[in-house]
Amino acid sequence: MVDTVTVTRQVHGKPDVRDLGKSIITPQTVRLIYRLDSPGPINGIYPVRAEVTGPARSAQTNKPHSDGIRHLTEFFDRDQPQHWPTWLIQLGAEHRPQQHHA
């Protein structure tokens, strides 16, 4: 089993992200998942995964979805760096766990 550390941060004022092009999510919470055996960045990204959650609206109409307020989560994986917004890469670098050597 690989040891991971999860860091959760409340974020406000960060740029919106798209969920598969169908929804636009306004970030409220970000979960960053780090692998302790992989402390360095890959493609400039430290966390192996990030999860951005917040209220969503339609990407087509820019209005709330017809079923009312919906919170969605968009997942970002390190092996697809082209999908990561710059602010999320920076947040991941700022909050990476410190390595403790015995």
Side-chain angles (χ1 to χ4, degrees):
M1 185 175 138
V2 176
D3 288 333
T4 62
V5 172
T6 300
V7 176
T8 302
R9 291 287 176 259
Q10 297 294 316
V11 295
H12 297 282
K14 297 294 185 189
D16 293 338
V17 297
R18 286 187 175 263
D19 170 30
L20 302 175
K22 297 177 185 173
S23 298
I24 299 170
I25 300 170
T26 300
Q28 286 185 339
T29 304
V30 174
R31 288 184 61 207
L32 302 162
I33 296 98
Y34 300 87
R35 282 181 47 173
L36 295 181
D37 65 347
S38 180
I42 295 176
N43 296 314
I45 299 169
Y46 285 92
V48 293
R49 183 178 179 95
E51 302 170 1
V52 178
T53 302
R57 61 190 186 279
S58 169
Q60 293 176 341
T61 65
N62 203 27
K63 294 181 179 174
H65 289 282
S66 58
D67 57 359
I69 296 293
R70 183 188 303 186
H71 277 68
L72 294 176
T73 300
E74 178 63 9
F75 301 94
F76 296 89
D77 291 303
R78 183 166 58 178
D79 61 354
Q80 295 181 318
Q82 69 274 19
H83 298 301
W84 287 64
T86 302
W87 69 263
L88 188 57
I89 294 171
Q90 291 170 343
L91 189 74
E94 291 168 8
H95 294 287
R96 70 183 189 271
Q98 298 300 312
Q99 293 299 108
H100 298 285
H101 299 286

